[in-house]
Amino acid sequence: EREPEPCPTREPPKIQPVAPPGPTRWGICSAGAISHDFVVALKTLPPSEHTVAAVAARDLGRAQDFARRFGIPRAYGSYEELAEDPDLDVVYVGVVNPAHLPTGLLFLRRGRAVLMEKPMGLRACEVAQLVGTARERGVFLMEGFWTRFFPAWRRLRALAVEGALGSPLVLRGALGFALGGVPRLREPGLGGGVLLDLGGYGLQMALALLGGGPSPSLWAHGVLHETGMD
């Protein structure tokens, strides 16, 4: 009997070195105060992880001033130009509240990931439209509640989930600023009011800790300004 022929030997596959991922490239939509604060915070992170690649405002001069202040390489005089920039990973949208829906849709429909400054929309139907568009296009969309990333908040959530706090029934919170001189907060057309501004922080904490299910019941009590805003 003949010995079986040996199996042919193969060279082991060459493993190509994997290049480390580059930094997340941010586009900044709007050159206002909240976008300024966001970029200041972003600049505290290593440039190997995050970089601001472009900024857009409705006025090119303001966008250019913003870019010079923060060393941003590209400035645009329209949001449409920012949406067409191919070298972006995510867009931070810091426009005024009533513009969140149309501006968010602009970027989502271009397939852009979006971090939307709070509130995501002025009404539930606006939020549903933004979320539906993001799911349809398969892109990332998030509302910018930065407190959810604080270590203290993560620890509190973990304790609640583990049952270490029992069954939370009441959350009492207070948040106050002297904002009487901010006309935007009193104007319905500008998305004013407490809950669409700072009050959302307490509300999202209550929903996260006390919701108990997908459809919690909500009651609101408050005082209305003469303009009709809460």
Side-chain angles (χ1 to χ4, degrees):
E1 296 181 0
R2 298 176 60 184
E3 291 289 333
E5 295 183 3
C7 296
T9 59
R10 295 181 180 178
E11 292 185 4
K14 295 181 179 180
I15 300 176
Q16 299 294 333
V18 178
T24 299
R25 301 166 299 176
W26 288 86
I28 306 299
C29 177
S30 176
I34 192 67
S35 294
H36 172 279
D37 293 348
F38 178 79
V39 174
V40 167
L42 203 61
K43 289 287 187 178
T44 66
L45 301 175
S48 59
E49 296 180 6
H50 295 272
T51 184
V52 181
V55 60
R58 290 175 294 180
D59 176 79
L60 178 59
R62 294 186 68 231
Q64 291 172 334
D65 289 343
F66 193 98
R68 280 192 293 268
R69 175 179 296 182
F70 292 105
I72 301 171
R74 297 186 298 281
Y76 299 115
S78 72
Y79 303 152
E80 289 77 9
E81 291 176 278
L82 184 66
E84 296 297 335
D85 190 320
D87 297 321
L88 300 178
D89 299 309
V90 57
V91 175
Y92 168 79
V93 177
V95 297
V96 294
N97 291 353
H100 284 189
L101 177 62
T103 309
L105 291 176
L106 169 68
F107 292 109
L108 293 172
R109 288 168 177 168
R110 299 293 204 287
R112 301 295 187 184
V114 170
L115 174 60
M116 178 71 72
E117 184 54 57
K118 62 171 184 62
M120 186 175 290
L122 299 185
R123 300 170 185 82
C125 60
E126 293 187 3
V127 175
Q129 191 173 352
L130 288 165
V131 171
T133 303
R135 287 174 173 164
E136 178 183 323
R137 298 304 304 270
V139 295
F140 177 87
L141 169 66
M142 188 177 78
E143 188 174 30
F145 272 107
W146 66 329
T147 49
R148 288 203 171 195
F149 296 87
F150 288 180
W153 167 249
R154 290 183 169 182
R155 178 60 177 154
L156 177 59
R157 282 282 291 142
L159 289 172
V161 171
E162 294 165 5
L165 305 180
S167 299
L169 300 176
V170 176
L171 183 146
R172 185 184 301 275
L175 179 63
F177 289 87
L179 297 175
V182 183
R184 170 182 63 82
L185 296 178
R186 301 189 292 272
E187 296 298 330
L190 296 178
V194 173
L195 286 182
L196 291 181
D197 197 79
L198 298 173
Y201 286 110
L203 182 59
Q204 63 90 20
M205 291 183 69
L207 289 173
L209 293 174
L210 310 177
S215 302
S217 298
L218 301 176
W219 290 268
H221 303 269
V223 178
L224 296 181
H225 188 264
E226 59 186 20
T227 62
M229 300 309 302
D230 56 306

